[in-house]
Amino acid sequence: MSDLPPVSCPDALESGRMADKLARGRMIVALDALLSKRNVTLAAKQLGLQTPALSRLLAQLREELGDPLFVRSGRGLVPTPFAEALRPKVQALAMEIDALFAPKLAGVPKEEPFDPRWNVPRDTPVPPLEVRPADLLEGQPSPRELSAKLEELGRGGSAHERLARHIGVLGIAGGGHGRPLTSEEAEEAMAIVLAGEADPVQIGALLGMMRVRGATAPELAGFVRAMQGHVAGRLGGTVRADVDWPCFTSPNYHNPPWFFHAARLVAQAGHRVLLHGNTGSGATAGRYDLVASALGIPVHATASGIRSALAESGIVYVPLAGLAPQIHRLLGLHSLTQLRTVAFEAVHLLRPADSRTSLLGVAKPSYRELHRDTARILGWKHMAVLGSVRDVAQYSPFRPASIHRLAGGEAEDLVLPALMGEPPATPRPRGTSLEYWQGVWTGATRDARAERIIIATAAFALFSLPDAAGTGLTEALARAEALWKARPAR
């Protein structure tokens, strides 16, 4: 018998290494989904896997990386510090995988990214977020000492002392057990922030703690009231409109904004439409300013300009950066934390004009009723929340949809089936996305899919108006179709 060690087969070793690479690639994609969803069932659905299959992948990940990665809590799976440290690298790897196959998806209209002509900075510079000079407490008071101190602070204290009390209520007040803020407390807290009287550490603590616990409808209503008071002070007078149409989207929103076309149809029907929104900061901040102007929609941020545009054109776009720079900068803190705070939810309900109804698009199912409950606290009689993949009211009639609305102050839930089959994708001609988007309105370009989205979105808006009581969505669709056919060439 030979004493020589066995010789490994090079082909077998190479095959094993490739198998390991394949398995690790799957685990990276799985970990990215788990970090995003923090729920095995939801992550499995996103990946097109059965829940037990993803559970097995998670077990392999834990064994390979030597860390639990997630622990269970009442809010789902909470990443361990090690998993949080991996998050940036895992996201980058997952994005690289997507980017590798991006050319394969370029022909799909709904995933077509904006070309550079969509993304423009704002012409007018926006001042930085106003805060008071940082004034950290010396020493480390115990929770008991801090709770007692907070109880001593009255409403007559300084702004940052009053804000400190509200933050304490969220965390340690009442013997170590926090509670949600009342609507009045939340309104005062946000008013202090918008007045530039908050310490930057306080802003982070307030928004961070509410992010972890989740905002209640009274808290959200308080934030909205403070924002409305801030905007009213800048406008210096009441503005009236029929339709309030918030359009606050991420700079990474990749779908063409067909809802601008739909809004113009609603204005064509004789209803005054006020669009207001934000597309982030920096190089993308002026995107909707450009989009509105390209369609002939006036862009204004002053009361006189808004009133004039509504009277003459029946429609106006109001950029948040011009209307309320302090709120714009507050949302811009996202770039420092990558967290969506309650400020993002409140701004959708801003309603800068005295409007008859508001049209919202809400991506997260749990937030749809939250927004409607908040609207009821605010005293709204009419509004409609469209279940949407993005936070803007743009209706795709090719798939089922939900509408959570207020009609005369009464809550009503509608579940709509897909209204029609999706037309085949239209081959895109040479030219930029902006030119294509404009061409659909002028008729220079025919895109059946885009036209159906525009008409359905306009129908949703018409259906949601207070004077549409008794009018069904079918009638609204017919009305929107007629408006589309009668639209002006420019």
Side-chain angles (χ1 to χ4, degrees):
M1 179 180 294
S2 172
D3 294 330
L4 294 175
V7 179
S8 299
C9 174
D11 289 343
L13 289 174
E14 180 64 20
S15 176
R17 282 195 293 267
M18 294 304 293
D20 287 344
K21 284 184 178 181
L22 180 61
R24 288 170 180 167
R26 285 170 55 84
M27 286 191 283
I28 287 170
V29 174
L31 182 55
D32 179 56
L34 288 166
L35 286 168
S36 172
K37 297 297 184 181
R38 298 193 178 193
N39 181 291
V40 174
T41 301
L42 293 179
K45 184 177 180 180
Q46 181 186 52
L47 296 171
L49 296 175
Q50 296 295 320
T51 301
L54 185 56
S55 296
R56 288 193 294 272
L57 278 174
L58 177 56
Q60 293 174 27
L61 276 162
R62 286 168 166 161
E63 183 177 353
E64 285 280 336
L65 299 175
D67 187 85
L69 298 178
F70 298 93
V71 294
R72 295 192 180 278
S73 76
R75 293 177 58 85
L77 296 178
V78 178
T80 65
F82 177 75
E84 284 289 1
L86 289 179
R87 184 192 295 270
K89 184 177 290 187
V90 169
Q91 286 181 334
L93 289 170
M95 289 175 66
E96 285 297 320
I97 292 172
D98 288 339
L100 181 63
F101 293 95
K104 300 290 186 183
L105 303 176
V108 183
K110 63 182 179 181
E111 297 296 335
E112 182 182 354
F114 292 110
D115 75 72
R117 287 186 55 190
W118 291 97
N119 297 329
V120 294
R122 289 190 53 79
D123 294 333
T124 306
V126 182
L129 180 70
E130 292 184 12
V131 297
R132 70 181 301 278
D135 183 21
L136 300 178
L137 296 174
E138 294 182 3
Q140 296 293 329
S142 68
R144 184 185 298 274
E145 292 170 333
L146 188 52
S147 179
K149 177 66 175 176
L150 292 171
E151 290 300 322
E152 295 173 5
L153 292 175
R155 298 184 69 85
S158 67
H160 80 277
E161 288 174 332
R162 299 198 307 276
L163 183 54
R165 176 180 175 82
H166 297 322
I167 296 170
V169 163
L170 286 168
I172 66 167
H177 301 286
R179 63 164 174 80
L181 299 177
T182 65
S183 184
E184 293 75 18
E185 289 169 338
E187 181 177 357
E188 183 180 42
M190 178 53 69
I192 291 171
V193 172
L194 296 180
E197 297 176 338
D199 187 286
V201 175
Q202 291 180 310
I203 295 175
L206 175 70
L207 298 180
M209 293 175 73
M210 294 182 74
R211 159 76 183 183
V212 170
R213 184 179 47 76
T216 64
E219 288 174 325
L220 190 55
F223 272 29
V224 173
R225 286 197 184 102
M227 289 182 173
Q228 289 176 332
H230 180 75
V231 168
R234 292 181 58 83
L235 286 176
T238 302
V239 176
R240 288 183 170 81
D242 295 312
V243 179
D244 171 76
W245 204 319
C247 39
F248 294 85
T249 56
S250 163
N252 299 320
Y253 180 80
H254 293 322
N255 290 346
W258 301 119
F259 60 90
F260 271 88
H261 293 329
R264 192 171 174 190
L265 291 182
V266 176
Q268 183 182 322
H271 305 289
R272 296 164 299 172
V273 180
L274 190 149
L275 296 137
H276 58 101
N278 191 53
T279 54
S281 304
T284 64
R287 179 188 292 171
Y288 285 165
D289 302 59
L290 174 66
V291 164
S293 298
L295 198 60
I297 297 174
V299 179
H300 292 285
T302 64
S304 59
I306 295 170
R307 288 194 196 96
S308 176
L310 289 174
E312 296 174 8
S313 304
I315 189 169
V316 66
Y317 171 69
V318 182
L320 180 69
L323 178 68
Q326 185 77 341
I327 301 177
H328 169 77
R329 286 302 189 193
L330 188 62
L331 300 185
L333 295 178
H334 178 270
S335 62
L336 297 178
T337 64
Q338 294 297 303
L339 294 176
R340 182 185 173 106
T341 68
V342 65
F344 281 87
E345 306 311 321
V347 79
H348 283 80
L349 295 157
L350 177 58
R351 197 183 260 196
D354 181 9
S355 302
R356 300 171 64 207
T357 192
S358 290
L359 308 179
L360 279 68
V362 178
K364 294 183 67 174
S366 60
Y367 280 25
R368 295 167 193 166
E369 291 192 24
L370 175 66
H371 281 70
R372 184 174 62 185
D373 291 344
T374 302
R376 296 184 77 173
I377 293 173
L378 293 169
W380 294 8
K381 296 299 182 184
H382 299 275
M383 61 96 69
V385 180
L386 177 65
S388 171
V389 295
R390 290 286 185 175
D391 290 344
V392 66
Q394 179 167 292
Y395 182 20
S396 176
F398 318 122
R399 56 184 65 94
S402 64
I403 299 177
H404 300 261
R405 66 176 188 167
L406 290 177
E410 296 298 321
E412 182 180 33
D413 294 338
L414 304 174
V415 178
L416 306 176
L419 302 181
M420 62 192 71
E422 185 167 1
T426 301
R428 294 292 173 90
R430 294 177 62 86
T432 68
S433 298
L434 180 60
E435 290 168 347
Y436 189 92
W437 178 84
Q438 290 174 289
V440 171
W441 176 269
T442 63
T445 302
R446 294 302 306 272
D447 185 330
R449 183 181 181 278
E451 291 178 9
R452 292 298 101 194
I453 291 174
I454 294 165
I455 292 169
T457 302
F460 162 70
L462 295 170
F463 173 69
S464 302
L465 283 163
D467 50 14
T471 301
L473 189 58
T474 301
E475 291 84 356
L477 279 168
R479 174 65 173 144
E481 182 90 40
L483 290 167
W484 176 252
K485 292 178 180 178
R487 71 191 185 282
R490 289 183 57 83

